[in-house]
Amino acid sequence: MAEIVSEVLIRALERWGVDTIFGLPGDGINGIMEGLRRRRDTMRFVLVHHEEAAAFMATAYAKATGRLGVCLATSGPGGIHLLNGLYDAKLDHAPVLAITGMQETSVLGTAYQQEVHLERLFEDVAEYNQMITNPAQVPGLVDIAVRAAYGRRGVAHLTFPNDIQIADAGENPFEIVAPANPPKTAPVYLSPPVRPSDNDLNKAADVLNNGGRVAILAGIGARGAGRLVERAAEALAAPIIKTLPGKMVVADDSPYTTGGIGLLGTAPSADLVDDIDTLLMLGTNFPYTKFLPSPGKVRVVQVEIDPTRVGNRLPTEVPLIGDVGATLEALLPLLHRRKDRGHLEKYQSQMSDWRSKMSALEKPDRNPIAPQYVAHMINELAADDAVLTCDSGTVATWAARHWQIHGGREFYLSGNLATMAPGLPYAIAIQHAFPSRQVIAYVGDGAFAMLMAEFSTAVWHGLPIKVIVNNNNSLGQILWEQMVLGYPEHGVRFGQPVPDYAAWARAAGGHGIQVDKAEDLPDALRSALSVDGPALLDVMVDPNEPPMPGKVSYDQAKKFASAFLRGQPHKAAIATTLFKDRIQQLRTH
């Protein structure tokens, strides 16, 4: 049997260590599917229900493993469906290769059925973006695409017309320069230099050593360098603020951290930002500048691997271009241990008080069930090396505050895109990458409903993910955003009857439980976590529990009150919930 171009494609990916492709077949990629069939002993194809989920899975796989994530979609609408997941990869800097189909070269430009020029559509999302028009291109362009995805930390895209997919592997119709034979050894991506110059390191040390009140802002770029970050915090007596994607950089019980920043952050972090005169930014391009110090108010040292991102958010006095770990290794010997620990101790005390307030909201004595209690019980019963994936929305608030990073725990969500629905496909991809670890998807009912068919995907592939649906029968985050803007709620609460997602899980062949009483939650969660296979726990939570900012501004409070006065239909229930929250926090003191 003659080798076809699609086999060359798959073999080229295998040389880069790729062993998994997430996707959905279609007539625009039948040739590639045949290539996958012929290489099925060395390349696994993970069949999904929706191309958007395939792109999310490739993104999660890349985030969790550091390896290339690969997704596959047919021409036209299939490729279009990839875009949301690919933008998630682009904005969170995950190396992903998207492979799509295209109509035969002989009909391109004739408005043929499903003729969507994906190489044009993907121009914004892709760092490297090519349509293959000659079989001879394939080995070389695959290598360039993979290097671009790794080197630029983003999306590469290759689209294959149908006739090219099934062409003879050695065909060279235009008689161009003969293609180079692929090297015998596996290709290698070499990272650029990651250590700043001694001159820049000395400048940074001078700024940090002379700071009066220093803080560290750590993002996902500091992942793997947590101990070094804590050593810097110890030397500078500097509290560590964590971005949400950077939640797993240091443990949540670290004596140095004040937790998160922004709407989902903590009150101590908000106070700290207003108090400092010097900021060390480590591997973060945190976009919400209103939660950062005012420009010019603080001296800034920023460690960033990509020089184009330095100073994007704050004027940066000393940029250090490099890997966070390698940079801190070189910087730490230059830092003087600060004798005055008052600044750090002040925020350690505030953080102790914050933890007490959060603990007060985790009590089991409220019905409807408090979502904070659900997140707390997941935290209590999950394994020490569990991976939690999360959707955007109110669940992100509960996860940020009540899912505690310690041991080998990890946490993933759509950071900068903040899209709905990645939680479930993320869990599927990460469970595939780490079959022996406990992987939990903590999702809202609105997001779960978008891609709920992928629970069946987990069943098909025997992936024992655990899905916890925080079911408030509404688009909870939008509800509260409307109120903070001073608008009475509109279009954010779903109707009756409430869908039974546990019944869907059972119908799909998994384990499904629904809980609507707090006293039943612990046993139901233990049961779900102990199932040897996919399980879903549908928890009916209080829809009137507000995801309040760590520190409420006067303007937010005024608009919140205005929404009540302008006809908020659930103001009695919301007021009751807020009153109960306050009572429980006061009891702890």
Side-chain angles (χ1 to χ4, degrees):
M1 187 187 305
E3 186 179 49
I4 60 175
V5 167
S6 292
E7 291 176 86
V8 177
L9 165 67
I10 305 305
R11 282 195 295 105
L13 293 173
E14 290 169 356
R15 288 173 49 243
W16 280 98
V18 175
D19 58 15
T20 303
I21 296 177
F22 303 95
L24 186 66
D27 59 1
I29 52 171
N30 278 337
I32 296 176
M33 295 305 300
E34 172 60 12
L36 284 166
R37 186 192 68 80
R38 295 185 187 185
R39 304 289 300 177
R40 62 187 179 275
D41 292 339
T42 52
M43 182 67 72
R44 182 178 182 184
F45 176 70
V46 178
L47 175 63
V48 305
H49 281 85
H50 196 290
E51 292 93 353
E52 181 181 3
F56 280 139
M57 291 177 195
T59 301
Y61 187 90
K63 287 183 178 182
T65 67
R67 297 167 58 193
L68 184 74
V70 183
C71 54
L72 173 65
T74 190
S75 56
I80 294 169
H81 283 159
L82 290 176
L83 280 172
N84 198 39
L86 295 181
Y87 271 100
D88 186 32
K90 173 186 172 71
L91 270 62
D92 282 356
H93 313 294
V96 168
L97 172 63
I99 301 169
T100 61
M102 179 64 70
Q103 279 64 32
E104 287 85 354
T105 54
S106 61
V107 300
L108 292 178
T110 67
Y112 198 76
Q113 184 185 32
Q114 294 187 341
E115 185 183 346
V116 176
H117 283 262
L118 297 173
E119 80 282 8
R120 301 175 193 168
L121 182 66
F122 283 32
E123 280 183 354
D124 180 61
V125 77
E127 299 289 344
Y128 183 79
N129 182 26
Q130 288 291 331
M131 181 168 67
I132 306 296
T133 56
N134 188 323
Q137 294 175 283
V138 175
L141 295 196
V142 168
D143 285 354
I144 295 171
V146 174
R147 287 194 178 96
Y150 277 130
R152 299 171 188 168
R153 306 299 298 176
V155 176
H157 170 234
L158 294 174
T159 187
F160 286 77
N162 281 343
D163 51 327
I164 301 295
Q165 296 173 30
I166 59 174
D168 181 78
E171 187 175 340
N172 189 1
F174 305 118
E175 298 182 356
I176 58 171
V177 176
N181 291 322
K184 301 293 184 183
T185 57
V188 177
Y189 169 71
L190 299 176
S191 299
V194 293
R195 184 190 183 280
S197 70
D198 288 342
N199 184 51
D200 287 341
L201 288 166
N202 284 318
K203 288 180 181 178
D206 183 66
V207 170
L208 296 170
N209 288 330
N210 285 289
R213 299 178 306 281
V214 184
I216 296 171
L217 177 61
I220 190 62
R223 181 185 180 187
R227 291 186 180 181
L228 296 171
V229 176
E230 287 188 301
R231 283 176 58 191
E234 166 62 22
L236 297 167
I240 302 168
I241 305 168
K242 300 189 291 182
T243 68
L244 189 54
K247 182 175 173 65
M248 56 189 164
V249 169
V250 299
D252 281 307
D253 59 0
S254 167
Y256 302 102
T257 187
T258 58
I261 187 173
L263 282 174
L264 281 61
T266 69
S269 289
D271 288 340
L272 177 61
V273 166
D274 291 335
D275 186 31
I276 59 174
D277 58 24
T278 308
L279 180 64
L280 173 58
M281 298 176 68
L282 300 175
T284 178
N285 193 31
F286 183 74
Y288 306 107
T289 53
K290 68 179 180 180
F291 297 107
L292 294 174
S294 300
K297 179 187 174 186
V298 299
R299 304 181 76 184
V300 177
V301 173
Q302 183 176 1
V303 181
E304 172 59 63
I305 195 68
D306 183 349
T308 65
R309 293 199 292 263
V310 171
N312 277 4
R313 310 307 180 192
L314 285 174
T316 300
E317 186 169 343
V318 183
L320 296 176
I321 308 305
D323 170 79
V324 171
T327 300
L328 287 179
E329 288 275 13
L331 180 64
L332 280 166
L334 304 176
L335 300 181
H336 305 154
R337 189 182 188 279
R338 196 175 303 271
K339 293 180 180 179
D340 182 358
R341 318 302 284 180
H343 174 63
L344 174 61
E345 291 168 355
K346 172 183 175 180
Y347 287 97
Q348 287 174 328
S349 175
Q350 286 194 25
M351 197 58 191
S352 177
D353 183 63
W354 172 263
R355 290 185 178 109
S356 295
K357 289 179 178 178
M358 292 301 99
S359 179
L361 300 176
E362 298 169 348
K363 304 301 183 185
D365 55 358
R366 279 195 284 169
N367 281 300
I369 302 170
Q372 297 96 323
Y373 178 53
V374 179
H376 166 70
M377 288 309 305
I378 297 171
N379 181 64
E380 288 292 300
L381 299 177
D384 282 344
D385 67 343
V387 180
L388 187 77
T389 69
C390 184
D391 268 315
S392 301
T394 56
V395 289
T397 299
W398 316 134
R401 294 176 179 172
H402 304 277
W403 170 253
Q404 300 299 304
I405 295 295
H406 58 72
R409 285 186 175 180
E410 296 180 23
F411 175 71
Y412 296 96
L413 81 170
S414 174
N416 287 298
L417 187 62
T419 182
M420 291 179 68
L424 175 57
Y426 268 33
I428 290 171
I430 294 171
Q431 188 75 83
H432 171 78
F434 303 106
S436 63
R437 293 182 68 175
Q438 185 183 69
V439 181
I440 303 169
Y442 180 42
V443 300
D445 58 299
F448 180 73
M450 290 179 170
L451 291 175
M452 60 190 287
E454 301 306 337
F455 185 83
S456 178
T457 300
V459 175
W460 290 347
H461 295 287
L463 298 170
I465 63 167
K466 314 305 176 192
V467 181
I468 316 299
V469 181
N470 187 83
N471 195 340
N472 54 22
N473 199 39
S474 65
L475 299 173
Q477 189 70 32
I478 306 304
L479 185 156
W480 297 105
E481 287 174 351
Q482 287 181 358
M483 294 184 64
V484 167
L485 290 170
Y487 307 151
E489 67 178 66
H490 178 72
V492 289
R493 296 195 191 245
F494 297 125
Q496 298 292 329
V498 179
D500 186 344
Y501 296 119
W504 155 243
R506 294 191 296 271
H511 184 77
I513 311 172
Q514 189 178 77
V515 173
D516 60 5
K517 293 184 174 59
E519 58 265 29
D520 296 333
L521 179 62
D523 286 344
L525 183 55
R526 287 190 187 94
S527 175
L529 293 177
S530 65
V531 167
D532 186 20
L536 182 146
L537 181 61
D538 186 11
V539 186
M540 314 305 290
V541 299
D542 187 352
N544 299 306
E545 182 72 31
M548 300 296 285
K551 189 175 181 180
V552 181
S553 70
Y554 171 75
D555 190 52
Q556 287 171 326
K558 183 173 70 172
K559 290 179 177 178
F560 190 84
S562 172
F564 267 62
L565 298 175
R566 291 170 57 192
Q568 166 55 245
H570 298 89
K571 57 187 175 184
I574 293 169
T576 300
T577 299
L578 288 168
F579 178 74
K580 288 178 179 177
D581 284 354
R582 185 60 180 152
I583 289 296
Q584 288 192 307
Q585 288 177 335
L586 290 171
R587 282 176 179 168
T588 66
H589 297 277

